Amino acid sequence: MNDSGSTVEVRIKPRVSSCRLEKYLLERFPFVEVNVASLKELNSYEDRNYYFKGILDAKVSGGKADSEVPNIFDEFVVKIYNQEDSNEPAIVDAQIKALLHLKEENINVKIPTEVFPRPHQQSPDLEQKFAFIEWDDDCSKKSIVRVLSFVPGKMFEEEESTKRRLYNLGEMLGKLDMALKTFYDPSLVRTFTWNLKVRIYTVNRYSGLQKAPLKLIIFFGILCITLLYYQNE
């Protein structure tokens, strides 16, 4: 059951072909060229994230591309939200504001730069602030699309976990935590499904699912272990 009491459906990742995505990026975002051969899907949970290279039109984008040399491809990530999260644009807007807040705090952490879509409609409606893409076989679904600069690096698990690296990780997380303590957005005052403090809410939320995928079965296994841990504290 979800917050309104209705049955929760398994979220399906948006399905968009690379050719359509290239055309969409050129139409809705300030790119003069997108290298379709560079499109590569990244690991993600419920959304679709793609790495790609493109050239921004500096005059339209409202800012300067990462590269100092004109007509040089920069690296980006395009994020296509799942349908359920796309129905809550206020939360997506809060995510954008949180990134801007971290930049204002001047913490020494790489923050991706948001590439905003071309002006589409002048409306006070928050939904008009975002770019949406229609998908599915009959284009009956639509998802919010964001484009951000790509931050190069490696997954933490790919490198040896030395004491120094663990210390640096803790220091970075501490800075992020302190910086976000001064950030507030009313749309974020909600129940987070994956917060273990509300584990009973999470169990109730997903208890009505039929034919649960493997990842959900794994989740319930982890949740049961967590419940046993808290009961034995």
Side-chain angles (χ1 to χ4, degrees):
M1 306 289 284
N2 62 14
D3 294 341
S4 61
S6 59
T7 302
V8 176
E9 298 180 357
V10 177
R11 302 184 189 185
I12 301 175
K13 285 188 176 184
R15 297 182 292 268
V16 181
S17 67
S18 57
C19 292
R20 181 155 181 255
L21 186 56
E22 175 197 19
K23 182 179 179 181
Y24 178 84
L25 288 170
L26 291 171
E27 288 179 349
R28 290 294 286 117
F29 290 86
F31 287 101
V32 296
E33 188 173 351
V34 170
N35 184 349
V36 67
S38 68
L39 273 169
K40 176 184 177 183
E41 185 168 0
L42 304 174
N43 289 335
S44 59
Y45 180 60
E46 294 173 327
D47 306 325
R48 291 280 186 192
N49 300 326
Y50 293 92
Y51 164 91
F52 72 97
K53 293 181 179 180
I55 301 176
L56 278 176
D57 183 349
K59 295 180 181 178
V60 179
S61 65
K64 187 167 57 176
D66 289 342
S67 174
E68 296 292 337
V69 183
N71 298 323
I72 296 296
F73 284 95
D74 290 310
E75 299 176 292
F76 300 91
V77 172
V78 55
K79 182 178 187 66
I80 307 175
Y81 281 77
N82 64 77
Q83 190 180 14
E84 184 172 335
D85 287 346
S86 296
N87 292 332
E88 299 187 80
I91 294 177
V92 179
D93 186 55
Q95 294 173 3
I96 296 174
K97 291 176 181 177
L99 284 179
L100 295 175
H101 177 77
L102 290 175
K103 282 189 173 183
E104 292 174 355
E105 292 295 309
N106 293 319
I107 60 175
N108 188 25
V109 176
K110 271 282 190 177
I111 303 295
T113 302
E114 189 89 18
V115 179
F116 292 100
R118 300 177 189 271
H120 183 50
Q121 295 182 20
Q122 297 297 325
S123 170
D125 188 350
L126 183 60
E127 185 170 311
Q128 304 303 329
K129 180 178 180 178
F130 299 104
F132 283 82
I133 188 169
E134 296 180 340
W135 57 278
D136 212 353
D137 295 336
D138 57 355
C139 292
S140 60
K141 298 179 174 64
K142 68 176 184 177
S143 293
I144 290 178
V145 180
R146 290 175 65 194
V147 175
L148 303 100
S149 61
F150 176 73
V151 178
K154 292 183 178 180
M155 298 294 291
F156 188 82
E157 62 182 12
E158 295 176 0
E159 298 289 337
E160 182 182 357
S161 296
T162 63
K163 289 184 178 180
R164 170 52 58 180
R165 293 190 72 244
L166 291 172
Y167 176 85
N168 291 339
L169 174 63
E171 183 179 44
M172 181 196 71
L173 292 176
K175 289 180 178 179
L176 287 173
D177 183 61
M178 293 301 295
L180 290 173
K181 284 184 183 297
T182 57
F183 175 77
Y184 172 79
D185 190 281
S187 64
L188 298 180
V189 182
R190 61 194 181 104
T191 303
F192 288 93
T193 301
W194 306 112
N195 184 349
L196 291 177
K197 292 182 179 180
V198 294
R199 50 197 178 277
I200 302 302
Y201 161 84
T202 304
V203 170
N204 291 335
R205 176 178 170 83
Y206 288 100
S207 60
L209 283 175
Q210 302 295 325
K211 299 180 180 179
L214 178 60
K215 62 182 180 182
L216 191 58
I217 296 174
I218 294 172
F219 158 72
F220 272 118
I222 296 173
L223 188 61
C224 289
I225 294 173
T226 304
L227 288 171
L228 289 173
Y229 171 79
Y230 276 99
Q231 287 175 355
N232 294 326
E233 276 190 323

